[in-house]
């Protein structure tokens, strides 16, 4: 085992964050590869050798090495970077972690992304925030499916530089042929996906060979070390040379004399006096003032957060994009894009999603999934949906005109994310290929407006809350209070109870067993329609018979029905007797009264069982809310 | 320490360029301003958590720039554990007055009534009640839906995976398994009723970046960061400053005067100083460049157990 001396060089370097601040630029890169290829070990080494880890952190890693490490008594370099406790225990990296270090030549932010297939989406996240990709390969295993998948995503997300680090060379006897075979295979593959700038370097993260210092064991390799590559790679100066783009973030209007459009220049430059056009509205004006972070500027450049003041009072708001008159952005409501899906729940065409694009927000619909890309073989295949981590090519319609570029032309204004309208999770990310000409517009998909669409519009899960219990048990009071709370949370609800049903729809019914059954049947059908309309529906009826309650349950989908038994003893209800009904029933002037001369069949397995005799109304409402939250209904 | 007020930015100058790219600090500065503006534009009721430390100082400075020439469109919140260094409180009150800031100070009064303090209750209980619980109280009371914090990813390993927009449940819990992916600079700012986010505009800054920026922009900081003669006692190997007479001394224990400074500021009984001669920001930077100990070393709470910061975060600690 390679343990001795691995992290205890006598002359450990100190922090290399030295030198003149303004002369070193910053490069953001990501590391990717399969599980166990040695990413964490490599990053640990980069941090360690640049003096970025302090003595107390090495000590902490040493303490942890004993508990979790794979390197016996020596410090496991991977533990310097594996962040969260849960994953330390499992020994896998499950998220993106960002690391900061620098050398006398450059500063770096490294996005450490997981190798496991399940986490392709995290890898995509890392790629979106990086300029260079370091792709690790285990020399013993060669180019794997995983390598291809990661390379494809790197290319899709517009990274044009990749470094292939062939790791664990110590385990293949530092053999040149092994390295060359891998290099040849990888280069051929990279060409097919348009990854042009590939650099290959043989390394051992564990021994440090060719990471910082050239390795004597691999004198057959004449190229630069990994660090040397990272320090010298010319990062695309893309954003600066592209046309000016300025997505408006916020309108700053502190007093009548100042109306600035705050935002970050996403590409290009703008100078005082230049004429700009707004998109989507198409109005023009000149730049009168540019307020930068440290005061007035004559020119603003890509990456700068500024406020622009224009000559004319034109109507501009968050989401608009300012661009030069001779290089405007496209405006349309439909485009084609590659997209990676990031959610457990599959992507559904026809479903509406929130879309975030530069500073614009809108509602979008995938009108057509043209094909899915098998990220392992890069074959296009027909598909109806995208599951988590899958990549597809789709047509997307947006509910209004919006401004954008194709990602290839301008990444800053050509990327988007999709948001689930119910859970608010980020479910997809995409890069725009081109806009669909208006003539091609299919307009919105000829969409069936159904329950799921209405539910999504309401941003909630339609649910039937069926309260049952004796007269005076407290059903209506609880239901009423619960409805108020749901309303406060922005939920759309309706409460069906005796007052609004018995007096109208069911005024032809009495209290015989037969009429009671019909009463509940109608109530259940009405409640079902309300669910279909996307509402959370509260039903508060004595509903004494099990069969009718079960019938109501059977009308709706699994998981939508909650039987809430307000279990208040008869004596308590009778003592309360809010409407004097028990008194009348006992006196015999009211016939067929539940609990007195008509049966109440207690629920056998209610979803929620409330002890109405002892609990307060607040406590019972809390219990219901809590239950619904845990069941994921609200 | 020169004190150029944050309200009067330095004279106009073009950002210094490196080739076509922005310089490192200019890039960080603009990215942070972008994040701060994004929150102001999309959340109903944001607040900036102001801890009086150097990171808060930088964050506040960036926020003032983000909305210039206007005022901050949100208040500041300081959760006061009642055990902060006296100099911190003085600094806070002076700053708020000078800049006309809308500052909310929150103290967990139940904790005060129960006499919670770091000595008899221990650092863990004290931090939980006077900091974590207090913060939740304040956020709930005012109904804030977004809270800025000055945390950086380079501070601690579990922070390295923290998002810039960190999603919190209704009960303020942080669930590492349920965080949103952040792609490009497209932040998902959508939340449900009662949910909130913590936003960390300094995520990509390192400790040295913070100091270099303080130097470049002449941002005022609490003098405790600079070396001076201070009365200290040694507790569990840490140099603890005797800041007031609430600090119980062991029999025979006499505070000695040493030249110390603090790398982070918190509750004085829980914050270890370091011996140092760095009495200016430039000297702090020089000292850090040669340093081999991390910033969190002086914080007593982190040593309790491996992964303790992660646990605290799950419970709602910043
Ligand atoms: N022999 C050898 N082992 C290595 C090398 N790099 C990493 N390893 C080992 O491979 C295993 C997985 O490494 P790790 O960095 O955790 O992989 P990750 O899953 O990609 O982060 C660990 O036991 C490492 O010590 C190397 O260059 N040579």
């Amino acid at each position: 085992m390679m343990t001795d001396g691995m992290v205890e060089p006598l002359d450990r370097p100190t922090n290399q964050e030295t030198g003149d601040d303004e002369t070193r630029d910053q490069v953001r890169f990501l590391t990717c590869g399969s599980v166990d290829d040695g990413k964490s070990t490599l990053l640990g080494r980069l941090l360690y050798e640049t003096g970025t880890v302090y003595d107390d952190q090495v000590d902490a890693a040493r303490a942890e090495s004993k508990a979790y490490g794979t390197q016996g008594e020596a410090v496991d370099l991977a533990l310097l970077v594996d962040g969260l406790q849960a994953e330390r225990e499992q020994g896998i990296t499950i998220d993106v972690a960002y690391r900061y270090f620098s050398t006398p030549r450059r500063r770096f932010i490294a996005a450490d992304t997981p190798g496991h297939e399940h986490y392709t989406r995290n890898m995509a996240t890392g790629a979106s925030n990086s300029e260079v990709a370091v792709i690790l390969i285990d020399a013993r295993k060669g180019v794997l499916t995983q390598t291809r998948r990661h390379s494809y995503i790197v290319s899709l997300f517009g990274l044009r530089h990749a470094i292939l680090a062939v790791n664990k060379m110590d385990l293949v006897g530092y053999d040149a042929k092994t390295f060359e075979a891998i290099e040849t295979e990888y280069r051929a593959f990279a060409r097919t996906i348009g990854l042009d700038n590939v650099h290959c370097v043989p390394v051992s993260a564990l021994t440090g060979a060719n990471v910082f210092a050239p390795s004597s064991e691999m004198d057959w390799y004449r190229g630069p070390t990994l660090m040397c590559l990272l320090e010298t790679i010319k990062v695309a100066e893309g954003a600066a040379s592209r046309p000016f783009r300025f997505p408006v973030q916020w309108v700053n209007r502190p007093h009548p004399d100042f109306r600035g459009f705050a935002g970050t220049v996403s590409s290009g430059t703008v100078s005082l006096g230049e004429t700009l056009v707004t998109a989507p509205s198409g109005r023009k004006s000149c730049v009168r003032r540019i307020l930068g972070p440290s005061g007035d500027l004559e020119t603003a450049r890509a990456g700068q957060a500024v406020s622009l003041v224009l000559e004319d009072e034109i109507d501009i708001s968050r989401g608009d994009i300012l661009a030069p008159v001779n290089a405007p952005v496209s405006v349309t409501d439909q485009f084609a894009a590659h997209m990676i899906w990031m959610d457990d729940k599959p992507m559904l065409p026809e479903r509406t999603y929130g879309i975030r694009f530069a500073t614009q927000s809108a509602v979008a619909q995938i009108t057509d999934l043209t094909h899915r890309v098998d990220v392992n073989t890069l074959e296009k295949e027909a598909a109806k949906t995208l599951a988590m981590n899958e990549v597809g090519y789709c047509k997307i319609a947006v509910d209004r005109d919006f401004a954008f570029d194709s990602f290839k032309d301008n990444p800053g204004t050509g990327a988007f994310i999709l948001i689930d309208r119910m859970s608010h999770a980020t479910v997809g990310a995409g890069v725009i290929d081109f806009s669909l000409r208006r003539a091609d517009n299919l307009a919105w998909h000829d969409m069936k407006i159904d329950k799921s669409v209405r539910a999504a519009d309401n941003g909630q899960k339609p649910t039937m809350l069926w309260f049952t219990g004796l007269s005076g048990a407290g059903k209506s009071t609880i239901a009423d209070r619960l409805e108020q709370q749901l309303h406060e949370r922005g939920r759309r609800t309706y409460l069906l109870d005796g007052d609004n049903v018995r007096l109208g729809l069911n005024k032809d019914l009495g209290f015989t067993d037969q009429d009671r059954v019909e009463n509940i049947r109608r109530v259940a059908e009405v409640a079902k329609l309300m669910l279909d309309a996307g509402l959370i529906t509260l039903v508060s009826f004595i509903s004494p018979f099990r069969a009718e309650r079960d019938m109501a349950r059977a009308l709706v989908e699994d998981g939508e029905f909650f039987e809430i038994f307000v279990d208040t003893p008869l004596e308590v209800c009778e003592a309360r007797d809010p409407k004097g009904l028990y008194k009348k029933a006992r006196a015999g002037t009211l016939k067929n009264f539940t609990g007195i001369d008509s049966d109440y069949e207690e629920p056998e397995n209610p979803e929620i069982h409330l002890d109405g005799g002892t609990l307060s109304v607040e406590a019972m409402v809390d219990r219901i809310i809590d239950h619904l939250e845990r069941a994921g209904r609200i | 320490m020169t004190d150029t007020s944050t309200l009067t930015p330095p004279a106009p100058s073009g950002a210094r360029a490196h080739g076509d790219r922005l310089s490192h600090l200019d890039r960080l500065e603009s990215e942070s301003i972008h994040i701060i503006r994004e929150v102001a534009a999309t959340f109903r009721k944001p607040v900036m958590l102001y801890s009086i430390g150097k990171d808060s100082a930088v964050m506040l400075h960036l926020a003032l720039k983000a909305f210039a020439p206007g005022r901050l469109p949100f208040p500041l919140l300081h959760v006061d554990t009642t055990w902060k260094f006296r100099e911190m409180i003085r600094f806070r009150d002076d700053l708020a007055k000078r800049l006309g800031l809308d500052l909310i100070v929150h103290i967990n009064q139940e904790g005060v009534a129960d006499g919670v303090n770091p000595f008899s209750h221990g650092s863990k209980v004290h931090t939980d009640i006077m900091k974590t619980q207090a913060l939740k109280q304040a956020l709930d009371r005012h109904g804030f839906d977004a809270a800025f914090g000055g945390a950086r990813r380079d501070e601690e390993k579990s922070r390295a995976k923290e998002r810039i927009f960190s999603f919190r449940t209704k009960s303020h819990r942080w669930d590492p398994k349920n965080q949103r992916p952040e792609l490009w600079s497209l932040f998902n700012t959508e939340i449900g009723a009662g949910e909130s986010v913590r936003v960390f505009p300094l995520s990509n800054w390192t400790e040295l970046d913070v100091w270099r920026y303080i130097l470049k922009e002449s941002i005022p900081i609490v003098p405790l960061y600079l070396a001076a003669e201070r009365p200290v006692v040694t507790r569990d190997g840490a140099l603890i400053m005797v800041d007031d007479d609430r600090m119980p001394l062991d029999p025979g224990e006499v505070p000695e005067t040493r030249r110390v400074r603090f790398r982070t500021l918190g509750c004085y009984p829980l914050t270890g100083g370091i011996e140092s001669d760095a009495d200016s920001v430039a000297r702090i930077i020089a000292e850090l460049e040669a340093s081999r100990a991390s910033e969190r070393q002086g914080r007593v709470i982190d040593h309790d157990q491996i992964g303790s910061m992660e646990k605290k975060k799950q419970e709602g600690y910043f």
Side-chain angles (χ1 to χ4, degrees), chain A residues 568-596:
Chain A
T568 311
L570 180 62
E571 313 81 72
V572 178
C573 296
E574 196 167 349
R576 289 179 185 159
D577 203 8
K579 298 177 195 157
L581 297 175
Y582 283 94
K583 204 179 275 163
K584 286 188 197 162
R586 290 283 183 207
T589 54
L590 192 62
K591 289 276 169 235
N592 298 329
F593 195 71
T594 305
I596 308 295

Side-chain angles (χ1 to χ4, degrees), chain A residues 131 158 160 234-247 264-270 300-304 324 405 407-413, chain B residues 19-22 27 31 184-185:
Chain A
E131 295 148 326
R160 290 289 167 258
K234 231 175 114 50
V235 186
E237 314 254 279
S241 55
R242 297 192 172 97
F244 176 69
R245 295 290 184 256
F246 186 78
T264 303
V265 180
S266 105
S267 63
T269 59
V270 70
R301 320 186 282 120
Q304 273 184 311
D405 289 299
F407 185 80
K408 269 201 287 306
D409 295 341
N410 212 330
T413 37
Chain B
D20 262 350
R21 290 156 65 88
L22 291 181
R27 184 178 182 182
E31 283 178 351
W184 300 287
S185 47

Side-chain angles (χ1 to χ4, degrees), chain A residues 140-160:
Chain A
R140 298 169 303 176
K141 299 184 190 151
V143 178
L144 300 179
T145 301
Q146 200 89 268
T147 321
R148 291 198 194 91
R149 176 183 322 127
H150 288 163
S151 305
Y152 173 67
I153 289 172
V154 161
S155 144
L156 189 66
F157 276 23
L159 279 74
R160 290 289 167 258

Side-chain angles (χ1 to χ4, degrees), chain A residues 2 34-41 70-71 78 167-168 170-171 204-206:
Chain A
M2 315 284 318
S34 300
V35 184
D36 276 350
D37 282 353
K39 269 188 324 297
S40 305
T41 310
T70 60
Q71 291 299 315
N167 190 31
K168 305 202 185 180
D170 55 308
L171 297 181
S204 168
L206 195 61

Side-chain angles (χ1 to χ4, degrees), chain B residues 105-157:
Chain B
V105 175
H106 180 81
I107 296 176
N108 183 352
Q109 295 300 351
E110 292 153 35
V112 173
D114 292 344
V116 173
N117 72 69
F119 301 108
S120 48
H121 293 74
S123 69
K124 227 173 139 168
V125 172
H126 168 75
T127 307
D128 179 54
I129 294 179
M130 299 308 288
K131 205 164 165 179
T132 310
Q133 301 307 330
L135 175 62
K136 288 189 206 172
Q137 279 172 356
L139 295 177
D140 286 342
R141 181 162 312 166
H142 297 274
F144 294 122
D145 57 351
F148 291 103
R152 307 182 319 269
R153 288 196 185 119
D154 81 327
E155 274 175 58
E156 210 258 349
K157 276 191 296 185

Side-chain angles (χ1 to χ4, degrees), chain B residues 38-49 73-75 77 138-148 165-170 172 180 188-199 318:
Chain B
E38 199 64 9
V39 171
T42 56
F43 284 87
R44 190 177 40 82
K45 198 170 177 192
V47 66
M48 179 166 277
L49 300 186
F74 41 74
L77 170 65
L139 295 177
D140 286 342
R141 181 162 312 166
H142 297 274
F144 294 122
D145 57 351
F148 291 103
F165 282 71
S166 176
F167 177 77
R168 302 298 160 107
T169 61
K170 290 192 188 73
H172 301 287
R180 298 164 176 179
N188 176 353
T189 55
E190 313 261 328
I191 53 169
E195 295 164 348
S196 62
V197 292
R198 308 281 164 90
V199 183
F318 221 77

